[in-house]
Amino acid sequence: GPGGGPGAVSRLRRWGGGHPQGLSLLSPPTPGLALTLALERAPLLAVFDALRAAHGPQHWWPAETPFEVMVGAVLTQNTAWTNVERGLARLKERLGANDPGPHAILALPEAELADCLRPVGYFNVKARRLRAFCGAYLAAGEREALSRLTTAELRHRLLAIPGVGPETADDMLLYAFDRPVFVVDAYTRRLLSRLGLLTGAEGYETIRQGLEGALGLDTALFNEYHALIVRHGKEICRPKPRCGACCLAHRCPAAVDS
């Protein structure tokens, strides 16, 4: 994931210290059935407040236009955002445009598009995926028409595009269409599992719906919370965590002295 977009959430009041209470599964998982998460709002907001106090506002998503957000969401799959920035810069230079639109991208031969995208990795695959997305986006009537759909309809439409999975679709929904959808990524799963809020066995939809149900549908909060989780996951809650520098260590069962 990247780093920049609106999202001050000043109205959220700070929660007091201490350990989070009551974040648990409703019941033990039943084989073959989807898990249901029973998360509580107050402890989740306490985590948010601690992250925001430590890292400050993140100003996500780093893009000039909503369409560029969507392009970035496709390109950031399985790569660092710095590589996406390099790929976008090469694409803009090749097109001679600061804001490459779907028509201009589709007008590029696929081999040339792939060459522009070399820095992002899997550039041939991503060139095909980006072309598929641009074609579907134009066929759907672009952002003006798509914005008239309900969030559920829009999510279904995005997920039908080849190469667009749940995380990519939800990046677009939250940061390009301003819809209250919580984006779940590897950083989210790692942080919440270490905090004892997840078992690690839950699927994407279980986590997303659990967080949305606990926090309420709040676009500004989701924007900032996801950005803060990514920042914290990159810098502190790494695969080998830097617990000694972590603002959540006092409430984290997985914290180790470091």
Side-chain angles (χ1 to χ4, degrees), residues 20-111:
Q21 302 291 325
L23 280 87
S24 61
L25 294 172
L26 275 174
S27 58
T30 303
L33 295 179
L35 293 170
T36 302
L37 278 176
L39 298 172
E40 292 187 2
R41 177 177 169 84
L44 287 170
L45 288 181
V47 171
F48 171 83
D49 284 336
L51 292 175
R52 194 161 187 266
H55 299 294
Q58 298 301 294
H59 306 295
W60 268 38
W61 181 291
E64 298 297 323
T65 64
F67 181 73
E68 191 176 322
V69 170
M70 297 181 234
V71 172
V74 172
L75 299 184
T76 198
Q77 297 170 359
N78 302 306
T79 195
W81 184 252
T82 51
N83 296 331
V84 175
E85 290 178 323
R86 290 166 56 211
L88 283 171
R90 284 167 61 97
L91 180 59
K92 290 176 179 181
E93 183 179 5
R94 174 64 184 81
L95 294 174
N98 191 47
D99 177 22
H103 291 287
I105 290 172
L106 287 173
L108 268 185
E110 189 169 311

Side-chain angles (χ1 to χ4, degrees), residues 234-256:
K234 286 181 175 178
E235 296 183 3
I236 307 295
C237 198
R238 299 172 177 176
K240 184 178 180 181
R242 299 175 56 216
C243 299
C246 182
C247 60
L248 297 169
H250 68 288
R251 65 173 73 244
C252 181
V256 295

Side-chain angles (χ1 to χ4, degrees), residues 14 26 31 104 116 219:
R14 288 196 54 75
L26 275 174
C116 292
T219 303

Side-chain angles (χ1 to χ4, degrees), residues 16 22 24 42 52 65 79 95 134 146 149 207 222 224-225 241-242:
S24 61
R52 194 161 187 266
T65 64
T79 195
L95 294 174
C134 288
L146 289 169
L149 299 175
I207 299 170
F222 293 176
E224 192 70 20
Y225 209 153
R242 299 175 56 216

